[in-house]
């Protein structure tokens, strides 16, 4: 992609002939200019005070709720998100803005006792300046919001560079946000690598969500500049099922985590580890649950597994399971699901060591079923990949679950629940190649978007 000649296109994955956006990419110069405008607006935004920032974020939440039907339809159309999930994402987006609208009233520091004599020692957290946000297409409203809202709440201004596939969603969200905020406080720069690199080179704090290779490059570039950076990247998440688990419930949870939104979530389950005698009943129950998953038009409220985001993405999913023993799926669906890029929910077994399904994130509705001798063996399998985002554990024995929790090398652990799912008021992130830098969401985000200052106040005229 070049800075001036590239064309940015966003089309519906359910109907590739439906083009939502087709514009020239803005260029690196436009991205740097957006950062400059945000930097000029930042002092007044910070100085306006907590009440003004709180009111502005509350207004955004209200506006998102008022536009819920429109935003839902746009997410369904642009990124193929099934209708039920799209509605939930819009509701969560409004809740995120409302949650962080209270953050400006949080304490920004502390008073400490002087080591000796009169005076005060103070610590205080202040905004970095301009937050550069680079976001993916799979949560086109929620992820930009859970990055932007805390950054704005503590006094930063924001420049958002969305994934090209989610340009229309980002532009509409920006229109809503910009109505509630002063000019220059929130900007959006559509584009690709050129625009993203420019923002990384200019902003004062960087938050990225996307692929591992790009995230690592972003982290290196930002670290080289000495600016704070967090990068949320891939996942190769495991579900561990113990013999005492409620097998039908576990199968339902895991099927949802494999196939929901066609597996296009960093928290999706891609490895299912059956411990001991759980293997046979789980194999049968999970295959049955996956066969029952409704695949089809994302605008249909019954759909769970819609299209993949692109033809290339579907090819990656089909290639990943090619030649393996498929218990269910492994092909593009034969039913008439329309012209979109669909793939059937797929479960494979007898996967050889070193296969890409056991070392790479495929980002589609495909998972490998793996046997384990006992819980310790299952933990070793779960930890054996380069990623460490989330693990789900299914068991009726809390003592057994607790005995294995601390040995799992993942940032999030979910007991008797799908691996997919995020609580926006809790820290989000993983270990190893899944994450770089501090956690997102909750109070952790407020700390990331600020830096600490320490003040020593001594009375005048003292020695």
């Amino acid at each position: 992609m070049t800075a001036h000649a590239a064309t940015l296109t966003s089309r519906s994955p359910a109907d590739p002939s439906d083009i939502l956006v087709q514009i020239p990419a803005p260029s690196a110069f436009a991205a740097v200019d957006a950062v400059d405008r945000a930097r000029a607006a930042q002092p007044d935004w910070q100085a306006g005070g907590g009440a003004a920032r709180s009111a502005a974020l509350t207004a955004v939440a209200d506006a998102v709720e008022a536009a819920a039907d429109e935003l839902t339809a746009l997410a369904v159309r642009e990124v193929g998100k099934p209708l039920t999930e799209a509605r939930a994402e819009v509701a969560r987006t409004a809740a995120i803005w409302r949650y962080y609208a209270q953050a400006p009233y949080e304490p920004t520091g502390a008073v400490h006792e002087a080591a000796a004599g009169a005076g005060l020692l103070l610590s205080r957290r202040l905004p970095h300046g301009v937050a550069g946000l680079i976001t993916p297409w799979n949560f086109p409203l929620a992820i930009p919001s859970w990055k932007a809202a805390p950054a704005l709440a503590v006094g930063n201004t924001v420049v958002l560079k969305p994934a090209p596939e989610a340009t229309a969603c980002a532009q509409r969200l920006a229109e809503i946000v910009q109505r509630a905020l002063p000019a220059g406080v929130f900007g959006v720069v559509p584009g690709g690598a050129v625009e993203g690199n420019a923002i990384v080179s200019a902003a004062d704090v960087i938050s990225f969500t996307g692929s591992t290779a790009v995230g690592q490059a972003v982290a290196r570039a930002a670290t080289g500049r000495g600016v704070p950076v967090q990068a949320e990247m891939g996942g190769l998440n495991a579900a561990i099922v113990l013999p005492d688990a409620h097998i039908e419930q576990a199968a339902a949870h895991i099927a949802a985590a494999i196939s929901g939104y066609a597996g296009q979530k960093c928290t999706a389950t891609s490895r299912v580890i059956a411990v001991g005698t759980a293997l046979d009943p789980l194999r049968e129950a999970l295959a049955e649950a996956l066969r029952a998953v409704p695949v089809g038009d994302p605008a249909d409220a019954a759909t769970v597994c819609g299209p993949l985001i692109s033809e290339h993405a579907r090819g990656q999913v089909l290639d990943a399971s090619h030649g393996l023993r498929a218990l269910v799926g492994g092909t593009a669906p034969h039913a008439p699901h329309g012209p979109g890029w669909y793939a059937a929910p797929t479960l494979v077994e007898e996967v050889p060591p070193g296969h890409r399904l056991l070392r790479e994130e495929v980002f589609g509705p495909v998972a490998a079923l793996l046997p384990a001798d006992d819980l310790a063996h299952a933990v070793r399998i779960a930890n054996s990949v380069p990623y460490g985002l989330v693990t789900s554990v299914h068991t009726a024995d809390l003592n057994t679950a607790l005995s294995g929790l601390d040995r799992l090398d993942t940032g999030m652990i979910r007991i008797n629940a799908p691996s997919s799912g995020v609580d926006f008021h809790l820290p989000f992130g993983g270990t190893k190649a899944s994450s770089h830098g501090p956690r997102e969401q909750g109070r952790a985000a407020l700390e990331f978007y600020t830096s600490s200052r320490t003040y020593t106040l001594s009375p005048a005229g003292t020695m």
Side-chain angles (χ1 to χ4, degrees):
M1 178 179 289
T2 64
H4 301 288
T7 297
L8 188 154
T9 302
S10 174
R11 63 181 73 237
S12 171
D15 180 4
S17 67
D18 178 16
I19 296 177
L20 287 85
V21 175
Q22 192 164 46
I23 58 173
S27 82
F29 302 105
V32 173
D33 184 60
V35 173
D36 289 342
R37 291 196 303 273
R39 183 165 288 115
Q42 192 275 328
D44 287 345
W45 173 244
Q46 180 185 353
R53 295 198 298 274
S54 177
L57 269 62
T58 299
V60 174
D62 292 341
V64 169
E65 288 175 343
D69 290 344
E70 175 199 354
L71 292 171
T72 296
L74 186 58
V76 170
R77 181 183 170 202
E78 185 171 38
V79 300
K81 179 155 287 194
L83 179 60
T84 300
E85 286 208 36
R87 284 175 178 155
E89 180 175 349
V90 172
R92 179 164 55 165
T93 298
I96 288 166
W97 286 96
R98 205 171 298 285
Y99 171 78
Y100 284 110
Q102 300 307 306
Y105 296 113
E106 289 287 316
T108 60
V111 179
H112 304 267
E113 185 72 17
L120 293 174
L121 301 179
L122 308 179
S123 60
R124 186 184 180 194
R125 301 196 70 86
L126 296 173
H128 295 292
V130 180
L133 312 180
I134 301 174
T135 58
W137 49 263
N138 58 336
F139 287 86
L141 302 169
I143 291 181
S145 294
W146 84 45
K147 293 179 185 293
L152 292 165
V154 295
N156 297 281
T157 50
V158 161
V159 176
L160 168 67
K161 206 295 290 180
E165 299 89 343
T167 299
C169 285
Q171 289 177 327
R172 185 67 186 98
L173 179 64
E175 290 172 359
I176 290 172
V177 175
Q178 287 167 349
R179 287 197 195 106
L181 273 57
V185 171
F186 183 98
V188 60
V189 179
V194 168
E195 292 76 15
N197 289 338
I199 289 172
V200 171
S201 73
D204 303 308
V205 56
I206 306 296
S207 183
F208 168 91
T209 299
S211 71
T212 302
V214 177
Q216 290 173 342
V218 167
R220 287 192 297 269
T223 301
R225 291 183 54 225
V227 301
V229 57
Q230 61 183 191
E232 294 300 334
M233 298 170 284
L236 195 54
N237 309 304
I240 297 174
V241 182
L242 285 99
D244 64 357
H246 189 297
I247 296 296
E248 299 299 325
Q249 180 190 68
H253 286 166
I254 296 168
I258 294 170
S259 63
Y261 191 23
Q264 297 173 119
K265 305 174 184 179
C266 61
T267 56
T269 293
S270 52
R271 296 176 298 144
V272 183
I273 304 171
V275 178
T277 58
L279 179 61
D280 289 340
L282 181 64
R283 177 192 291 115
E284 180 178 350
L286 183 52
E288 182 179 352
L290 286 171
R291 289 190 194 98
V293 169
V295 179
D297 184 352
D300 186 337
T303 294
V304 171
C305 185
L308 278 299
I309 192 64
S310 67
E311 186 174 14
H312 174 75
R314 180 175 64 177
Q316 290 286 93
V317 170
L318 298 180
D319 288 348
S321 58
H322 180 72
L324 297 174
R325 173 180 168 81
L327 298 169
V328 59
T331 61
H334 297 295
H337 293 302
W341 297 303
Y342 294 90
T346 298
L347 181 68
V348 297
E349 65 175 353
E350 301 175 7
V351 181
H355 191 277
R356 61 177 300 196
L357 281 178
L358 305 184
R359 55 185 174 81
E360 299 176 14
E361 182 184 44
V362 174
F363 219 60
V366 57
L369 178 62
L370 308 169
D373 298 332
D374 52 29
L375 178 57
H377 186 201
V379 169
R380 289 196 300 274
I381 295 172
N383 290 345
S384 66
V385 298
Y387 300 97
L389 186 57
V390 57
T391 304
S392 67
V393 180
H394 303 265
T395 178
D397 185 349
L398 183 59
N399 290 334
T400 299
L402 290 174
S403 71
L405 291 185
D406 291 341
R407 288 179 281 160
L408 288 167
D409 192 10
T410 54
M412 298 176 289
I413 298 165
R414 295 169 63 86
I415 306 300
N416 295 323
S419 63
S420 55
V422 174
D423 299 300
F424 62 78
H425 56 290
L426 296 179
F428 177 88
T431 63
K432 299 184 285 190
S434 289
S435 296
H436 173 93
R439 294 292 189 249
E440 290 197 278
Q441 303 192 139
R443 293 189 59 83
L446 303 178
E447 294 187 2
F448 171 69
Y449 288 112
T450 56
S451 62
S452 180
R453 305 286 197 277
T454 299
Y455 302 87
T456 301
L457 280 67
S458 298
T462 60
M463 297 295 292

